[in-house]
Amino acid sequence: MTKLLSMNRRKFLQASAAGALAGAMPGLIASSAAAQTALTVGFIYVGPKDDYGYNQAHAEGAAVIKAMPGVTLVEEENVPETVDVQKTMESMINLDGATLLFPTSFGYFDPHMLAVAAKHPDIQFRHCGGLWQEGKNPANTGSYFGYIFQGQYLNGIAAGHATKSKKIGFVAAKPIPQVLQNINAFLLGARTVDPGITCQVIFTGEWSLAVKEAEATNALVDQGADVITCHVDSPKVVVETAAGRGAFVCGYHANQSPLAPEKYLTGAEWAWGNVYSDFVKKAQAGEKLGNFVRGGLKDGFVKMSALGPGVSAEGRKAFEATQADMMKGGFSVFKGPLKDNKGDTVVAADKSYAEDAIELESMNYLVEGVVGSTA
């Protein structure tokens, strides 16, 4: 059924005449009174909704708004980062009457979401992670993201207390700023436990490549890493492979503890239900939606998996104390003096970045102690 729906959506514009589309538009414009209670919201996922990862986290958030009064939810999964997503957005607008769209995958933003948004100025589009710029991007678009590197920092604290080899590992998709933030934060958290800990990172080159993710995980364990985390769309392969090799794991995106109950230390999870419900409430009330929305643990954008049985009493104490500090706001994961893994100073001794520092949005380095390259 999902494949059939996907095929119908993507072929709709090719099979329909332009006049038919134009004729359908007037009926999709709701009165201001109706907009207070009735809202059709579209979600688009690059992978399956039950991937134990990125897409599942967004789908769990979508499920929260589905239960809200007056909301009709339209979803489509397994949509590639190609012109296909433009066709999906167009059909959600023209067939389903969606007036608020969440194309969730990184590659949907430019050019796809921006192109469709320019043609539909009365429709609101919000993208996960895109760097929306005022004056450059359409006013009916925007981006939202969370400071999940805070969660990876906490992962690092748990990893630092669990590692025996002083080597931890990270399986990453692409060296974009958000991924680099997570790698760096993971090691910096671990180094609060022991400054001698190092982190080996392997980039797979894509968000979802199960074979390469398994190979990378095995390679990290072979090189001595005894705690593994990741930033790929679905951590399932990494978690199961690492646990199968006897390594501890820290999760990402969603809760993977059922996959490795004895080896799962904790995990950095998204709390998208809070973010999406806020967008929907504003849209239903006719209020302006934020164009550049960010938040961390204290804002309810991010949460942590429950600590697993592999976390020691000392590790639990350090984890909970740091988490409490983060919940107060203004916590600095990245503070000087800090060098990159090439020996250059990237954060001066008198400088620190709180979670909302704009500099973090363009991070392009790996910190000292990370073995790997951004190339």
Side-chain angles (χ1 to χ4, degrees), residues 89-107:
M89 284 186 277
E90 291 280 9
S91 66
M92 284 183 171
I93 295 167
N94 294 305
L95 286 178
D96 302 300
T99 55
L100 175 59
L101 293 181
F102 292 104
T104 60
S105 189
F106 180 78

Side-chain angles (χ1 to χ4, degrees), residues 13-347:
L13 293 182
Q14 296 172 338
S16 301
L21 290 179
M25 289 304 294
L28 301 178
I29 302 175
S31 68
S32 58
Q36 296 293 318
T37 55
L39 181 71
T40 298
V41 185
F43 276 83
I44 307 170
Y45 314 105
V46 74
K49 295 190 296 180
D50 58 353
D51 65 352
Y52 277 96
Y54 184 85
N55 298 288
Q56 180 171 317
H58 285 292
E60 289 173 356
V64 171
I65 69 164
K66 184 178 182 179
M68 294 174 66
V71 174
T72 298
L73 181 68
V74 183
E75 300 173 279
E76 185 167 353
E77 56 189 333
N78 297 310
V79 182
E81 295 174 327
T82 65
V83 70
D84 282 351
V85 73
Q86 295 190 38
K87 296 174 183 176
T88 295
M89 284 186 277
E90 291 280 9
S91 66
M92 284 183 171
I93 295 167
N94 294 305
L95 286 178
D96 302 300
T99 55
L100 175 59
L101 293 181
F102 292 104
T104 60
S105 189
F106 180 78
Y108 290 164
F109 183 71
D110 189 0
H112 306 299
M113 187 189 85
L114 296 179
V116 177
K119 294 190 290 184
H120 298 280
D122 295 330
I123 306 299
Q124 291 294 320
F125 300 77
R126 292 299 181 273
H127 177 266
C128 182
L131 296 181
W132 183 89
Q133 298 179 53
E134 186 174 4
K136 178 181 178 181
N137 301 135
N140 61 324
T141 66
S143 76
Y144 58 94
F145 203 64
Y147 307 127
I148 201 166
F149 60 83
Q150 292 181 322
Q152 282 290 13
Y153 187 85
L154 291 169
N155 275 351
I157 292 174
H161 282 277
T163 182
K164 304 299 183 185
S165 66
K166 296 188 180 183
K167 295 180 180 180
I168 58 179
F170 202 113
V171 179
K174 300 181 181 183
I176 64 171
Q178 291 154 1
V179 177
L180 300 181
Q181 290 169 19
N182 285 330
I183 298 167
N184 293 335
F186 183 55
L187 177 60
L188 292 174
R191 284 195 155 187
T192 64
V193 182
D194 186 338
I197 294 174
T198 60
C199 179
Q200 173 78 42
V201 59
I202 297 178
F203 291 99
T204 64
E206 292 295 340
W207 298 111
S208 182
L209 284 174
V211 173
K212 285 193 174 182
E213 289 159 12
E215 291 173 348
T217 305
N218 280 314
L220 291 171
V221 175
D222 289 342
Q223 293 169 34
D226 55 1
V227 186
I228 308 291
T229 192
C230 64
H231 186 157
V232 295
D233 271 4
S234 175
K236 185 175 187 291
V237 170
V238 173
V239 170
E240 292 181 330
T241 303
R245 292 290 306 275
F248 285 110
V249 290
C250 292
Y252 189 62
H253 289 315
N255 183 11
Q256 291 98 39
S257 60
L259 302 175
E262 297 303 314
K263 289 296 185 178
Y264 193 83
L265 297 176
T266 184
E269 299 183 37
W270 296 109
W272 290 133
N274 296 329
V275 181
Y276 288 137
S277 60
D278 186 61
F279 274 124
V280 167
K281 288 174 184 176
K282 284 184 169 62
Q284 287 181 314
E287 299 176 9
K288 178 178 172 54
L289 306 187
N291 297 107
F292 194 82
V293 178
R294 297 293 189 272
L297 278 167
K298 70 179 178 63
D299 307 296
F301 282 51
V302 178
K303 59 184 178 179
M304 297 301 296
S305 303
L307 294 174
V311 180
S312 65
E314 184 181 9
R316 179 180 293 271
K317 182 178 179 180
F319 177 98
E320 291 177 346
T322 304
Q323 186 176 32
D325 283 344
M326 287 181 172
M327 292 298 290
K328 297 174 184 176
F331 186 91
S332 295
V333 168
F334 301 99
K335 53 190 174 183
L338 186 63
K339 293 183 178 181
D340 65 17
N341 64 357
K342 298 177 183 177
D344 298 323
T345 298
V346 288
V347 182

